[in-house]
Amino acid sequence: MAALDNLVVTTALPSIREDLGGGLEDLEWTVSAYTLTFAVLLMFGAALGDRFGRRRLFITGLAIFTGASAAAALASGIDALIAARAVQGVGAAIMMPLTLTLLTAAVPAARRGAVLGIFSAVTGVAVATGPLIGGSLTEHISWQWIFWLNVPIGLLLLPLARLRLSESYAPDARLDVPGTLLVSGGLFGIVYALVNGNADGWTSPRILFCLIAGTVLLVAFARYGSVAKKPMLPMRLFRSRAFFGINVASLLMFLGMFGSIFLLSQFLQGVAGYSPTEAGLRMLPWTGMSLLVAPVAGLLSDRIGGRPVVTAGLALQAIGLALFALVLEPGVSYAAQLPALVISGVGMALYFAPAASVVMSSVRPSEQGIASGANNALREVGGALGIAVLGAVFAAQGGYESPQAFSDGTVPAVWIGAGALAVAALVALLIPGGRTRPDGTLSGSPAGTTDGDRTPVAV
């Protein structure tokens, strides 16, 4: 449910706009309210589970997510929908980071590889089919059903989780309230300014205040992470070239791709004239390619190392978006868009397959939970920033007035997305080369150390 709700709303955006009204900034918040609260509370949600009980907090997050889904379906205005999506993100941030911990504890060690493989496959299917499911429900029933879909599943899972999952805690778990407040306030200020800058004016006092305050809070968060005893994100981890490279590349990747999907899913309906279901089907070569290519990409990463596979994936995504920008115009055929869809999909699969392994091998085994949470959070932050940045470019260059106006705004925005992915490919070159050793570190670093840190690793 949580993975599906990242993209399920994209193909429903034109119908939501027609039904509830609102401008571009309202549609942006419909997506970003979820990804932003999800991102900034993800690591805090994991810490809550460690402190107060993982099963208890998983059930709490599931209940919040289910209730917020019903509230989104019942929303009578765009503001109520945005508020419900923000609460959905809170529920997902509590629920999602605890799933792997609970799953690992629920099965014997000998079966964990197969079970985690099933978990990853289900998550991949949810992401891949999100636009199609959203489009089909919107066209054949109503857009509200993209949210109603979660309610019976959540109501079924709540008693099952209570009866079938075992409770567990983490010793000495600490909550980083100051760090959570700093990063939440900083990201909200910057995203708010980017989303509303065109409507309010980039020099208006409110926008300038949000930009300055957001930047100051994020700098304070970085400083706090450098001096605090147990911060949610220790800044020293970024001394590792591998950790720095994969996380910055992940943020830029989601910035470029998520922002582009936000606009292109609307282009397929508003300009190309496809129905929501047809638009979802036509996006499958992009979103669904991961299911075909990811297994091969994983084997390739094991053989030659993660850096060349991640870099190639990011470069292919940049090429795919550039091809989109070159062909997009009113009346463009689907055949002209297909190469861009396929190349972008292959690139996405090449990135996703080795990315988790690179993240885990860039830090000590004792810090892999923090590293995984940080990477997931930065990816969601990248998605929220991507919608805000590319949406601002779209609003400055075009609009919803006509198909030509929509194309005029989409093309430069997609070029920005392609540029972000090109930079991400260059940043990925910072990742040390070589394969992962049996002790979990990269072979490009001296044995028993993380690159750039040289601190002994507990094997």
Side-chain angles (χ1 to χ4, degrees):
M1 290 194 299
L4 185 72
D5 271 54
N6 264 316
L7 291 180
V8 73
V9 74
T10 54
T11 42
L13 289 173
S15 297
I16 291 173
R17 180 171 176 266
E18 182 179 344
D19 194 10
L20 299 182
L24 172 66
E25 62 272 14
D26 297 308
L27 296 183
E28 292 179 57
W29 278 117
T30 301
V31 181
S32 295
Y34 178 81
T35 56
L36 196 57
T37 53
F38 190 5
V40 300
L41 296 176
L42 189 64
M43 299 179 73
F44 191 70
L48 284 172
D50 291 342
R51 175 81 175 270
F52 299 108
R54 291 165 179 147
R55 181 186 67 178
R56 179 182 300 156
L57 265 294
F58 176 81
I59 292 172
T60 301
L62 180 60
I64 293 171
F65 187 91
T66 303
S69 297
L74 293 169
S76 58
I78 194 70
D79 292 336
L81 177 60
I82 292 169
R85 288 283 287 167
V87 178
Q88 257 193 321
V90 174
I94 298 172
M95 175 175 64
M96 266 307 267
L98 301 173
T99 52
L100 285 176
T101 310
L102 291 166
L103 191 60
T104 300
V107 296
R111 294 175 53 201
R112 282 176 190 161
V115 170
L116 292 176
I118 294 171
F119 177 86
S120 298
V122 170
T123 303
V125 169
V127 173
T129 58
L132 176 59
I133 291 174
S136 298
L137 291 173
T138 298
E139 181 178 353
H140 299 295
I141 309 178
S142 70
W143 64 263
Q144 285 88 347
W145 276 90
I146 66 177
F147 302 113
W148 281 128
L149 179 67
N150 296 324
V151 176
I153 299 173
L155 292 176
L156 175 65
L157 289 177
L158 284 168
L160 284 176
R162 179 69 181 82
L163 295 172
R164 302 294 297 171
L165 296 177
S166 301
E167 187 60 279
S168 63
Y169 301 84
D172 301 323
R174 295 182 61 181
L175 301 178
D176 184 7
V177 176
T180 301
L181 292 175
L182 287 172
V183 72
S184 301
L187 287 172
F188 177 80
I190 289 176
V191 171
Y192 179 89
L194 290 172
V195 169
N196 294 279
N198 283 298
D200 295 352
W202 290 100
T203 58
S204 68
R206 180 189 299 177
I207 298 301
L208 290 175
F209 172 79
C210 287
L211 282 173
I212 295 170
T215 303
V216 169
L217 288 173
L218 289 181
V219 170
F221 172 72
R223 173 63 180 166
Y224 173 82
S226 301
V227 299
K229 289 184 177 180
K230 286 190 176 181
M232 62 187 297
L233 181 57
M235 290 296 121
R236 59 179 172 75
L237 294 180
F238 288 94
R239 294 201 299 264
S240 163
R241 283 196 299 125
F243 187 83
F244 177 86
I246 190 62
N247 279 288
V248 173
S250 296
L251 187 148
L252 290 170
M253 180 269 193
F254 269 68
L255 188 154
M257 295 302 288
F258 216 89
S260 298
I261 289 175
F262 171 77
L263 292 172
L264 292 170
S265 61
Q266 296 181 73
F267 179 92
L268 288 173
Q269 296 179 62
V271 179
Y274 297 117
S275 69
T277 304
E278 291 171 338
L281 281 170
R282 280 160 175 79
M283 290 186 73
L284 277 179
W286 188 350
T287 58
M289 193 61 67
S290 295
L291 301 178
L292 300 177
V293 179
V296 179
L299 293 174
L300 192 62
S301 175
D302 291 339
R303 183 176 295 272
I304 66 174
R307 180 177 67 179
V309 182
V310 167
T311 304
L314 293 168
L316 284 175
Q317 290 176 77
I319 293 170
L321 289 184
L323 290 176
F324 262 123
L326 289 171
V327 303
L328 288 181
E329 61 180 0
V332 63
S333 67
Y334 181 67
Q337 301 174 61
L338 191 58
L341 288 163
V342 172
I343 292 172
S344 297
V346 171
M348 188 181 292
L350 290 175
Y351 160 81
F352 275 122
S357 176
V358 173
V359 170
M360 292 304 193
S361 60
S362 67
V363 298
R364 303 184 188 98
S366 62
E367 293 175 328
Q368 287 181 344
I370 295 174
S372 176
N375 183 254
N376 285 322
L378 286 170
R379 282 160 44 174
E380 296 292 333
V381 167
L385 288 174
I387 292 172
V389 172
L390 270 62
V393 175
F394 170 85
Q397 301 295 321
Y400 288 99
E401 295 80 17
S402 67
Q404 186 61 57
F406 197 96
S407 297
D408 291 343
T410 302
V411 170
V414 173
W415 275 119
I416 296 294
L421 280 152
V423 174
L426 294 175
V427 172
L429 293 174
L430 294 173
I431 300 169
R435 293 174 290 176
T436 304
R437 294 193 191 94
D439 68 359
T441 59
L442 290 172
S443 61
S445 300
T449 69
T450 57
D451 180 72
D453 187 291
R454 311 303 182 223
T455 305
V457 175
V459 179

